[in-house]
Amino acid sequence: MKCSQCSAELPKHLEACYKCGGKPEEKKKINISLDAGLENETIPDIKYFSVSIKKLIILSIVSFGLYEFYWFYKNWKIVKDHEKSKISPIGRGFFAIFYCNSLFKKIIVLAKEKGYIAKYSHSLLAIFYILFLLIGNVVSEYEFQNVFINSIWLISYLSVLPLAEVQNSVNFINSKDGSQVENNKFSGWEILLIVAGGLLLLLSIIGTFLPE
């Protein structure tokens, strides 16, 4: 066995040349092949939950925001599978206000790396999402004499707007492999939800503005 640098004869047990410190030829070849194997090994890109913006907004409104928790669950489930972590997608979906910023950051940072030009930062989107939810839900717990104040609970429906902006980043990421936006059609159950939820929402709005 020879040194790869000075060609000195080396005993087999040596890890490096006693003259110049170079590696034995056989060990160098093994290291080169291992390095090449690591370079060729690629980690597949994450593909987040695909849904059209129109479908996201409609289902979020008619479900009184429940579809948003489903949206968070689906994306955290994808993150968990991709990163092989032990997070709870259900828990992070249910407590979305505590975890929305970290999810928005993962998505928008990756989208920017792929060339997406984000209009807003992940932190700003998270702040607006939390504010819309809190303001609308807190006001809905009380009944005021002023009709305008009573109608502020409708602000909670604006929480879907930050999600729509994040979904634009998701659809951009997913489109980089050449695929179109998936999940843009409504199933039979979703159409039923739109009809039933739309009627309930209409009755709620009428009840808010009608005098007692």
Side-chain angles (χ1 to χ4, degrees):
M1 186 167 61
K2 294 184 178 181
C3 173
S4 60
Q5 293 185 14
C6 67
S7 300
E9 291 291 337
L10 303 175
K12 290 184 179 181
H13 67 276
L14 286 183
E15 295 289 333
C17 178
Y18 57 87
K19 288 185 177 180
C20 67
K23 291 184 178 181
E25 288 183 349
E26 291 183 4
K27 291 186 177 292
K28 186 178 181 181
K29 289 178 182 178
I30 292 172
N31 288 338
I32 291 174
S33 63
L34 288 174
D35 291 340
L38 290 174
E39 290 176 0
N40 292 331
E41 184 180 352
T42 58
I43 300 174
D45 287 338
I46 188 170
K47 192 171 184 179
Y48 289 99
F49 178 60
S50 289
V51 62
S52 67
I53 302 300
K54 179 181 72 173
K55 184 174 180 178
L56 172 63
I57 293 175
I58 292 175
L59 291 182
S60 174
I61 292 174
V62 299
S63 68
F64 295 86
L66 291 178
Y67 191 78
E68 295 177 16
F69 297 115
Y70 174 73
W71 183 89
F72 276 104
Y73 162 76
K74 292 292 290 184
N75 280 302
W76 279 120
K77 178 71 166 56
I78 292 170
V79 171
K80 178 181 180 179
D81 293 341
H82 186 264
E83 298 180 355
K84 302 186 186 310
S85 60
K86 296 182 179 180
I87 63 174
S88 171
I90 295 177
R92 296 202 172 197
F94 190 77
F95 297 103
I97 60 172
F98 300 110
Y99 297 102
C100 61
N101 186 52
S102 58
L103 180 61
F104 292 174
K105 182 178 180 180
K106 286 178 181 290
I107 294 172
I108 291 177
V109 168
L110 178 59
K112 285 182 177 179
E113 290 176 357
K114 292 181 176 293
Y116 181 73
I117 301 176
K119 297 178 182 178
Y120 310 100
S121 69
H122 61 85
S123 300
L124 185 62
L125 292 173
I127 289 171
F128 275 109
Y129 175 76
I130 294 170
L131 283 178
F132 288 146
L133 276 184
L134 291 180
I135 293 173
N137 288 316
V138 168
V139 171
S140 66
E141 295 295 322
Y142 301 93
E143 188 171 342
F144 301 92
Q145 296 297 323
N146 189 295
V147 175
F148 173 75
I149 298 177
N150 279 335
S151 63
I152 292 179
W153 65 271
L154 292 169
I155 288 179
S156 63
Y157 287 98
L158 296 179
S159 62
V160 72
L161 297 181
L163 292 193
E165 182 59 33
V166 177
Q167 189 62 45
N168 277 325
S169 301
V170 168
N171 293 341
F172 179 85
I173 294 170
N174 294 346
S175 69
K176 299 309 287 184
D177 63 357
S179 61
Q180 299 295 321
V181 176
E182 301 173 0
N183 195 13
N184 56 1
K185 295 181 180 180
F186 296 95
S187 66
W189 286 107
E190 288 168 343
I191 293 174
L192 182 62
L193 173 63
I194 292 172
V195 174
L199 287 174
L200 285 174
L201 177 60
L202 180 60
L203 291 174
S204 298
I205 294 174
I206 292 174
T208 299
F209 291 98
L210 279 181
E212 295 183 358

